[in-house]
Structures are given as C-alpha cells and as structure tokens.
Amino acid sequence: MLTFLTRREQFNAAHRMYRQDLTEEENFRLFGKCANPNYHGHNYDLFVTVKGEVDHERPCIMDLKELKVIINDHVIEKLDHRNLNLDVDFMAGKMASTELLCIEIFKQLKGPIEAYAGVCLHSVRLAETENNSTECFG
C-alpha cells in the first residue's frame, strides 16, 4: 500500500526581498518591509514528505534517522542561522522568496532521498510564519 511519511525540521534564516533592477523606493512599494536593506529573519518550519510502498516485509518507507541526516546534511546545515541572499550556495542569484526557497530545497533533497530503493520525495512544505507557507510537489 502506498504510504506517506513526513519529517519536520526547523531552521532560522534571514533574507531580503528585492530586485537589483529597481530603486529602493520601488522595492519597498513591491515588497514592503521585506525589502528592508538590513534584512529580516524567520523561524522556518520545514516539512519533508516521502512516499513508498509498505507491507509486512517492508513495514517502513525509510529509516527516520536516515531521513533526518539527509535533511540536516543537504539543507539545514546550509540554511540555519544564515543569510539566504548572501550565504547559501543553492540560492545564489535567486530571489529569496519562500516559494523559490521551497523549490530549491526540494532539488537539494530529491537525489539523496530517492537513492533509497522504493522511496520517492513527494513534497516539501516550508512555513515562513504560522500563517504563511508554500509547498512544492515532485
């Protein structure tokens, strides 16, 4: 039977929403306080969902400890207490929106997770606040 398993992790990061081709005033009109030149931070909640077949011979999709290590090594260590605009290699040259960050996190996790036989990365959900989140499906 196809089953889904979700692991939640957390990280803190700063970012700034802005476009270099716009003036400070235009950026502020477009992105509001998120365009602050001194950046601002969030306590992000990251939800990684994998899927796979389970039965009596294979009762688990994958070892949760292994999933935690993959998420930590490929995402959390690169993002936690970092500036998304300045410090994160996979965000270089990209707008540090929650939507684009979610897509890039998905890309970072897909290969390492799917190296496990029968396991597929189903989705990544990233909550920037308790009221705002985005989700990316493979």
Side-chain angles (χ1 to χ4, degrees):
M1 178 174 283
L2 184 62
T3 305
F4 298 82
L5 173 69
T6 301
R7 171 80 188 177
R8 184 186 125 207
E9 295 290 341
Q10 297 176 305
F11 65 92
N12 303 337
H15 73 142
R16 178 183 182 207
M17 299 289 294
Y18 73 102
R19 290 183 22 201
Q20 291 181 336
D21 61 320
L22 300 177
T23 66
E24 290 294 325
E25 294 79 23
E26 290 170 321
N27 273 299
F28 186 75
R29 271 197 303 278
L30 189 58
F31 302 113
K33 294 187 287 186
C34 294
N36 181 344
N38 294 316
Y39 303 91
H40 67 283
H42 297 281
N43 297 317
Y44 291 92
D45 285 315
L46 174 65
F47 300 86
V48 177
T49 302
V50 298
K51 65 182 175 180
E53 296 285 336
V54 296
D55 55 32
H56 292 290
E57 290 181 29
R58 184 182 169 161
C60 302
I61 298 169
M62 75 181 293
D63 183 339
L64 277 170
K65 288 180 258 174
E66 282 298 315
L67 182 56
K68 178 181 179 174
V69 167
I70 291 170
I71 296 168
N72 189 61
D73 289 353
H74 294 275
V75 175
I76 303 301
E77 287 295 322
K78 295 180 179 186
L79 297 176
D80 194 32
H81 289 83
R82 302 282 199 274
N83 183 311
L84 301 175
N85 300 87
L86 305 175
D87 301 332
V88 180
D89 60 349
F90 63 81
M91 290 301 292
K94 299 174 182 78
M95 176 77 72
S97 70
T98 303
E99 295 89 340
L100 290 176
L101 179 59
C102 188
I103 290 168
E104 294 304 318
I105 290 171
F106 189 98
K107 291 177 184 177
Q108 295 297 304
L109 294 173
K110 185 171 176 55
I113 286 173
E114 294 186 357
Y116 287 82
V119 179
C120 182
L121 177 58
H122 175 70
S123 67
V124 169
R125 183 166 70 92
L126 186 62
E128 185 179 72
T129 69
E130 65 182 36
N131 296 322
N132 302 322
S133 67
T134 189
E135 193 163 8
C136 176
F137 293 88

